[in-house]
Amino acid sequence: MMFPGQGSQMIGMLKQLAEIYSLVEGTFEEAADVLKYDLWNLVQRGPIEELSKTWRAQPAILAASISIWRIWKQQGGKNPELMAGHSLGEYSALVCSGVINFVDAIQLVELRGRLMQEAVPIGCGAMAAIIGLDDNIVLSACIQEKRDQIVSISSFNASDQVVISGHKEAVQRVMIICKKLGAKKIFLLPISVPSHCELMRSIAIKLANNLNKVNFCVPKIPVVNNVDVYIEQNPIYIRRALIRQLYQPVRWMDILRYLIHQGVDVLLELGPGKILTSLAKRSFDSLFVLSINNPEALSKSITHNYY
């Protein structure tokens, strides 16, 4: 099972599931008690500009993924052999694997979002997806165009797609040169902070202090982490990996390769949208991939026993 990160948020997400399963709104109510605002109302009615703020989007996506997981278990779905989450999605995976409880996770990801925005004021940072260029070409473009600013690859998403992150002007310069170099598609992501780059290192200590206040348990289901592509069992090292995740790139392609090497041939995405489903299909034809965020897909995945 895989869990999406920021950027997958959308107005109206999980509406169909919520009409059938009370667990959805119940989960969002738990989150609302922590956040002190109506999270379900925000994800259903918007505005999208508010939902896309990093400290709003992160709890919303986490709550969506946990809602689906709870329904999955309620309906008799089996535990997966392995879990992985993309960026924020790693927190979702850790909740589902029993490492941290949902309430603590909601508090952590809202704080994480606020700290990330604190590190880089709105409008000063950006993230952009670049499709159709070799990783090394994009790396060279970042080095060439960073000048006195920061820009780097923040996520290796697919065989032909990376995401860059950093100062807005530097990101724009790299976008221009990558277009000239033959990129098939380039677009800015709906994210208000430049994640997984050196601009985030300044908040690592603050996040670490709060992670250390939260009880972490040994995972009941193995989780492949973002920064090392490794399954940690020791709660101390799980925390440390989450801290480094702030300013180091997400190695999603390496994670997919690792899963395949472990014998995985079915991937189920739990969360809004189907970003991770699309990324996996781009790179690996051998995988059966399904996004589970509506009643039909949920029923199909349990009934057909794909796993």
Side-chain angles (χ1 to χ4, degrees), residues 87-105:
S87 186
L88 163 75
E90 190 169 327
Y91 287 81
S92 302
L94 292 173
V95 172
C96 295
S97 69
V99 175
I100 49 180
N101 70 49
F102 176 60
V103 169
D104 285 339

Side-chain angles (χ1 to χ4, degrees), residues 17 20-24 66-78 298 302:
L17 280 175
I20 300 173
Y21 302 103
S22 61
L23 273 173
V24 176
I66 301 310
S67 296
I68 300 169
W69 169 253
R70 288 175 172 178
I71 296 168
W72 172 267
K73 295 301 294 179
Q74 182 193 63
Q75 297 302 304
K78 296 179 182 179
L298 178 71
I302 292 178

